[in-house]
Short mmCIF file of all heavy atoms in Angstrom, two decimals:
data_model
loop_
_atom_site.label_atom_id
_atom_site.label_comp_id
_atom_site.label_asym_id
_atom_site.label_seq_id
_atom_site.Cartn_x
_atom_site.Cartn_y
_atom_site.Cartn_z
N ALA A 91 13.04 -5.74 -9.70
CA ALA A 91 14.41 -6.00 -10.15
C ALA A 91 14.92 -7.31 -9.58
O ALA A 91 15.60 -8.08 -10.27
CB ALA A 91 15.32 -4.84 -9.74
N GLY A 92 14.59 -7.59 -8.34
CA GLY A 92 15.01 -8.85 -7.73
C GLY A 92 14.35 -10.06 -8.36
O GLY A 92 14.95 -11.13 -8.46
N ARG A 93 13.09 -9.89 -8.80
CA ARG A 93 12.40 -11.02 -9.43
C ARG A 93 12.85 -11.24 -10.88
O ARG A 93 12.92 -12.37 -11.34
CB ARG A 93 10.89 -10.80 -9.39
CG ARG A 93 10.30 -10.98 -8.00
CD ARG A 93 8.79 -10.97 -8.02
NE ARG A 93 8.21 -9.76 -8.60
CZ ARG A 93 8.02 -8.62 -7.95
NH1 ARG A 93 8.39 -8.52 -6.68
NH2 ARG A 93 7.46 -7.59 -8.54
N VAL A 94 13.15 -10.16 -11.57
CA VAL A 94 13.57 -10.27 -12.97
C VAL A 94 14.97 -10.88 -13.07
O VAL A 94 15.26 -11.66 -13.98
CB VAL A 94 13.52 -8.89 -13.67
CG1 VAL A 94 14.20 -8.92 -15.02
CG2 VAL A 94 12.09 -8.43 -13.81
N LEU A 95 15.84 -10.51 -12.12
CA LEU A 95 17.22 -11.03 -12.13
C LEU A 95 17.51 -11.75 -10.82
O LEU A 95 18.22 -11.24 -9.96
CB LEU A 95 18.21 -9.88 -12.35
CG LEU A 95 18.10 -9.19 -13.71
CD1 LEU A 95 18.87 -7.88 -13.71
CD2 LEU A 95 18.60 -10.11 -14.80
N PRO A 96 16.97 -12.95 -10.64
CA PRO A 96 17.22 -13.68 -9.39
C PRO A 96 18.72 -14.00 -9.26
O PRO A 96 19.38 -14.29 -10.25
CB PRO A 96 16.38 -14.95 -9.53
CG PRO A 96 16.10 -15.09 -10.98
CD PRO A 96 16.17 -13.72 -11.58
N GLY A 97 19.20 -13.89 -8.06
CA GLY A 97 20.62 -14.14 -7.82
C GLY A 97 21.47 -12.89 -7.90
O GLY A 97 22.64 -12.91 -7.52
N PHE A 98 20.91 -11.80 -8.40
CA PHE A 98 21.63 -10.53 -8.46
C PHE A 98 21.36 -9.74 -7.19
O PHE A 98 20.26 -9.77 -6.65
CB PHE A 98 21.17 -9.69 -9.66
CG PHE A 98 21.80 -10.08 -10.96
CD1 PHE A 98 21.65 -11.35 -11.48
CD2 PHE A 98 22.54 -9.16 -11.69
CE1 PHE A 98 22.22 -11.72 -12.68
CE2 PHE A 98 23.11 -9.51 -12.90
CZ PHE A 98 22.96 -10.79 -13.39
N ALA A 99 22.38 -9.04 -6.70
CA ALA A 99 22.21 -8.16 -5.54
C ALA A 99 21.62 -6.83 -6.02
O ALA A 99 22.16 -6.19 -6.92
CB ALA A 99 23.57 -7.91 -4.88
N VAL A 100 20.49 -6.45 -5.46
CA VAL A 100 19.83 -5.20 -5.82
C VAL A 100 20.19 -4.15 -4.78
O VAL A 100 20.05 -4.38 -3.58
CB VAL A 100 18.29 -5.37 -5.89
CG1 VAL A 100 17.62 -4.06 -6.24
CG2 VAL A 100 17.93 -6.46 -6.89
N GLN A 101 20.68 -3.01 -5.24
CA GLN A 101 21.10 -1.95 -4.32
C GLN A 101 20.58 -0.60 -4.79
O GLN A 101 20.38 -0.39 -5.98
CB GLN A 101 22.62 -1.92 -4.20
CG GLN A 101 23.35 -1.85 -5.52
CD GLN A 101 24.82 -2.21 -5.41
OE1 GLN A 101 25.26 -2.74 -4.42
NE2 GLN A 101 25.56 -1.91 -6.45
N LEU A 102 20.33 0.28 -3.84
CA LEU A 102 19.83 1.62 -4.12
C LEU A 102 20.94 2.64 -3.93
O LEU A 102 21.60 2.65 -2.89
CB LEU A 102 18.68 1.98 -3.18
CG LEU A 102 17.33 1.36 -3.47
CD1 LEU A 102 16.38 1.57 -2.30
CD2 LEU A 102 16.75 1.95 -4.73
N ASP A 103 21.13 3.50 -4.90
CA ASP A 103 22.05 4.64 -4.81
C ASP A 103 21.18 5.87 -4.61
O ASP A 103 20.48 6.30 -5.51
CB ASP A 103 22.88 4.75 -6.08
CG ASP A 103 23.89 5.88 -6.03
OD1 ASP A 103 23.81 6.72 -5.13
OD2 ASP A 103 24.76 5.92 -6.92
N LEU A 104 21.20 6.44 -3.41
CA LEU A 104 20.27 7.50 -3.03
C LEU A 104 20.83 8.91 -3.18
O LEU A 104 20.26 9.86 -2.66
CB LEU A 104 19.83 7.29 -1.58
CG LEU A 104 19.21 5.92 -1.29
CD1 LEU A 104 18.88 5.80 0.19
CD2 LEU A 104 17.99 5.67 -2.14
N ASP A 105 21.93 9.06 -3.90
CA ASP A 105 22.57 10.37 -3.99
C ASP A 105 21.73 11.45 -4.64
O ASP A 105 21.91 12.63 -4.34
CB ASP A 105 23.91 10.26 -4.72
CG ASP A 105 25.01 9.80 -3.80
OD1 ASP A 105 24.83 9.83 -2.58
OD2 ASP A 105 26.07 9.42 -4.31
N LEU A 106 20.81 11.10 -5.51
CA LEU A 106 19.99 12.12 -6.18
C LEU A 106 18.59 12.21 -5.59
O LEU A 106 17.72 12.85 -6.15
CB LEU A 106 19.92 11.83 -7.68
CG LEU A 106 21.25 11.85 -8.41
CD1 LEU A 106 21.06 11.48 -9.88
CD2 LEU A 106 21.91 13.21 -8.30
N LEU A 107 18.39 11.57 -4.45
CA LEU A 107 17.08 11.54 -3.82
C LEU A 107 17.03 12.57 -2.70
O LEU A 107 17.98 12.72 -1.93
CB LEU A 107 16.84 10.14 -3.25
CG LEU A 107 15.43 9.73 -2.93
CD1 LEU A 107 14.58 9.74 -4.19
CD2 LEU A 107 15.42 8.36 -2.32
N HIS A 108 15.92 13.28 -2.61
CA HIS A 108 15.72 14.29 -1.57
C HIS A 108 14.41 13.99 -0.86
O HIS A 108 13.47 13.50 -1.47
CB HIS A 108 15.65 15.69 -2.19
CG HIS A 108 16.83 16.01 -3.03
ND1 HIS A 108 18.03 16.43 -2.49
CD2 HIS A 108 17.03 15.94 -4.36
CE1 HIS A 108 18.89 16.63 -3.45
NE2 HIS A 108 18.32 16.33 -4.61
N THR A 109 14.36 14.32 0.44
CA THR A 109 13.11 14.13 1.17
C THR A 109 13.11 14.96 2.44
O THR A 109 14.16 15.26 3.01
CB THR A 109 12.86 12.66 1.51
OG1 THR A 109 11.54 12.52 2.04
CG2 THR A 109 13.85 12.14 2.52
N ASP A 110 11.91 15.32 2.85
CA ASP A 110 11.69 15.96 4.15
C ASP A 110 10.74 15.11 4.98
O ASP A 110 10.28 15.54 6.02
CB ASP A 110 11.08 17.36 3.97
CG ASP A 110 12.06 18.31 3.30
OD1 ASP A 110 13.27 18.17 3.52
OD2 ASP A 110 11.59 19.19 2.56
N SER A 111 10.45 13.92 4.49
CA SER A 111 9.43 13.07 5.10
C SER A 111 10.05 11.96 5.93
O SER A 111 10.62 11.01 5.39
CB SER A 111 8.56 12.46 3.99
OG SER A 111 7.74 11.47 4.53
N PRO A 112 9.90 12.03 7.25
CA PRO A 112 10.40 10.92 8.09
C PRO A 112 9.66 9.62 7.80
O PRO A 112 10.24 8.54 7.92
CB PRO A 112 10.16 11.39 9.52
CG PRO A 112 9.63 12.77 9.46
CD PRO A 112 9.36 13.12 8.04
N GLU A 113 8.38 9.72 7.43
CA GLU A 113 7.62 8.50 7.14
C GLU A 113 8.18 7.77 5.92
O GLU A 113 8.28 6.55 5.90
CB GLU A 113 6.14 8.83 6.89
CG GLU A 113 5.44 9.47 8.05
CD GLU A 113 5.58 10.99 8.03
OE1 GLU A 113 5.83 11.57 6.95
OE2 GLU A 113 5.46 11.59 9.10
N ALA A 114 8.54 8.53 4.89
CA ALA A 114 9.09 7.92 3.68
C ALA A 114 10.45 7.28 3.97
O ALA A 114 10.73 6.18 3.51
CB ALA A 114 9.23 8.96 2.57
N LEU A 115 11.27 7.97 4.75
CA LEU A 115 12.58 7.39 5.11
C LEU A 115 12.41 6.14 5.96
O LEU A 115 13.13 5.16 5.78
CB LEU A 115 13.42 8.42 5.87
CG LEU A 115 14.03 9.52 5.02
CD1 LEU A 115 14.72 10.54 5.91
CD2 LEU A 115 15.01 8.94 4.03
N ARG A 116 11.46 6.16 6.86
CA ARG A 116 11.22 4.99 7.71
C ARG A 116 10.76 3.81 6.85
O ARG A 116 11.22 2.68 7.05
CB ARG A 116 10.19 5.31 8.78
CG ARG A 116 9.99 4.15 9.76
CD ARG A 116 9.21 4.54 10.99
NE ARG A 116 9.97 5.52 11.76
CZ ARG A 116 9.59 6.79 11.94
NH1 ARG A 116 8.49 7.23 11.39
NH2 ARG A 116 10.31 7.61 12.66
N ALA A 117 9.87 4.06 5.91
CA ALA A 117 9.40 2.99 5.03
C ALA A 117 10.56 2.42 4.22
O ALA A 117 10.66 1.21 4.01
CB ALA A 117 8.31 3.51 4.10
N LEU A 118 11.46 3.29 3.77
CA LEU A 118 12.60 2.84 2.98
C LEU A 118 13.56 2.01 3.82
O LEU A 118 13.99 0.93 3.39
CB LEU A 118 13.33 4.05 2.39
CG LEU A 118 14.41 3.79 1.37
CD1 LEU A 118 13.86 3.04 0.17
CD2 LEU A 118 15.03 5.10 0.93
N THR A 119 13.87 2.45 5.03
CA THR A 119 14.80 1.70 5.87
C THR A 119 14.16 0.42 6.40
O THR A 119 14.83 -0.60 6.51
CB THR A 119 15.32 2.56 7.04
OG1 THR A 119 14.22 3.08 7.77
CG2 THR A 119 16.17 3.70 6.54
N ASP A 120 12.87 0.47 6.73
CA ASP A 120 12.19 -0.73 7.24
C ASP A 120 12.01 -1.80 6.17
O ASP A 120 11.80 -2.96 6.49
CB ASP A 120 10.82 -0.37 7.81
CG ASP A 120 10.91 0.41 9.11
OD1 ASP A 120 12.03 0.51 9.67
OD2 ASP A 120 9.88 0.94 9.55
N SER A 121 12.10 -1.41 4.90
CA SER A 121 11.92 -2.38 3.81
C SER A 121 13.07 -3.37 3.72
O SER A 121 12.93 -4.43 3.15
CB SER A 121 11.79 -1.65 2.48
OG SER A 121 13.05 -1.14 2.08
N GLY A 122 14.22 -3.00 4.28
CA GLY A 122 15.38 -3.87 4.18
C GLY A 122 16.13 -3.74 2.87
O GLY A 122 17.05 -4.50 2.60
N ALA A 123 15.73 -2.76 2.04
CA ALA A 123 16.43 -2.55 0.77
C ALA A 123 17.87 -2.15 1.04
O ALA A 123 18.15 -1.35 1.93
CB ALA A 123 15.72 -1.48 -0.05
N ARG A 124 18.78 -2.72 0.28
CA ARG A 124 20.21 -2.42 0.46
C ARG A 124 20.51 -1.07 -0.18
O ARG A 124 20.23 -0.85 -1.35
CB ARG A 124 21.05 -3.51 -0.19
CG ARG A 124 22.52 -3.28 -0.06
CD ARG A 124 23.32 -4.46 -0.57
NE ARG A 124 24.72 -4.13 -0.49
CZ ARG A 124 25.58 -4.35 -1.45
NH1 ARG A 124 25.19 -4.94 -2.56
NH2 ARG A 124 26.83 -4.02 -1.31
N THR A 125 21.10 -0.18 0.60
CA THR A 125 21.46 1.14 0.09
C THR A 125 22.98 1.29 0.06
O THR A 125 23.67 0.78 0.93
CB THR A 125 20.86 2.27 0.93
OG1 THR A 125 21.30 2.14 2.28
CG2 THR A 125 19.33 2.24 0.89
N LEU A 126 23.46 1.98 -0.94
CA LEU A 126 24.88 2.27 -1.03
C LEU A 126 25.21 3.44 -0.12
O LEU A 126 24.40 4.33 0.09
CB LEU A 126 25.25 2.63 -2.47
CG LEU A 126 25.11 1.52 -3.51
CD1 LEU A 126 25.40 2.08 -4.89
CD2 LEU A 126 26.05 0.39 -3.19
N PRO A 127 26.43 3.48 0.43
CA PRO A 127 26.81 4.64 1.22
C PRO A 127 26.84 5.88 0.33
O PRO A 127 27.12 5.78 -0.87
CB PRO A 127 28.21 4.31 1.74
CG PRO A 127 28.63 3.08 1.05
CD PRO A 127 27.46 2.47 0.35
N PRO A 128 26.53 7.05 0.90
CA PRO A 128 26.52 8.25 0.07
C PRO A 128 27.90 8.56 -0.49
O PRO A 128 28.91 8.29 0.15
CB PRO A 128 26.08 9.36 1.01
CG PRO A 128 25.89 8.74 2.33
CD PRO A 128 26.18 7.29 2.26
N HIS A 129 27.92 9.09 -1.69
CA HIS A 129 29.17 9.52 -2.30
C HIS A 129 29.73 10.67 -1.48
O HIS A 129 28.97 11.48 -0.97
CB HIS A 129 28.96 9.95 -3.75
CG HIS A 129 28.55 8.82 -4.63
ND1 HIS A 129 29.41 8.25 -5.54
CD2 HIS A 129 27.40 8.13 -4.74
CE1 HIS A 129 28.78 7.27 -6.17
NE2 HIS A 129 27.57 7.19 -5.70
N PRO A 130 31.03 10.79 -1.37
CA PRO A 130 31.59 11.86 -0.53
C PRO A 130 31.27 13.26 -1.06
O PRO A 130 31.18 14.18 -0.29
CB PRO A 130 33.09 11.59 -0.55
CG PRO A 130 33.33 10.62 -1.64
CD PRO A 130 32.03 9.93 -1.93
#
């Protein structure tokens, strides 16, 4: 998405995502991907 639309801010909305895997969460946070705060 970042390569197709250079100059656009790419953000992840994780509200519908579920996980029990600390490794997957660590990979996601270590990637530096911008995440939106969870909806209330």
Side-chain angles (χ1 to χ4, degrees):
R93 287 189 303 277
V94 169
L95 295 167
F98 279 59
V100 179
Q101 52 196 13
L102 284 168
D103 182 348
L104 304 177
D105 278 345
L106 299 177
L107 199 62
H108 305 280
T109 189
D110 293 328
S111 169
E113 299 88 22
L115 285 174
R116 185 168 296 113
L118 189 59
T119 55
D120 289 350
S121 73
R124 180 173 176 226
T125 58
L126 294 175
H129 294 254

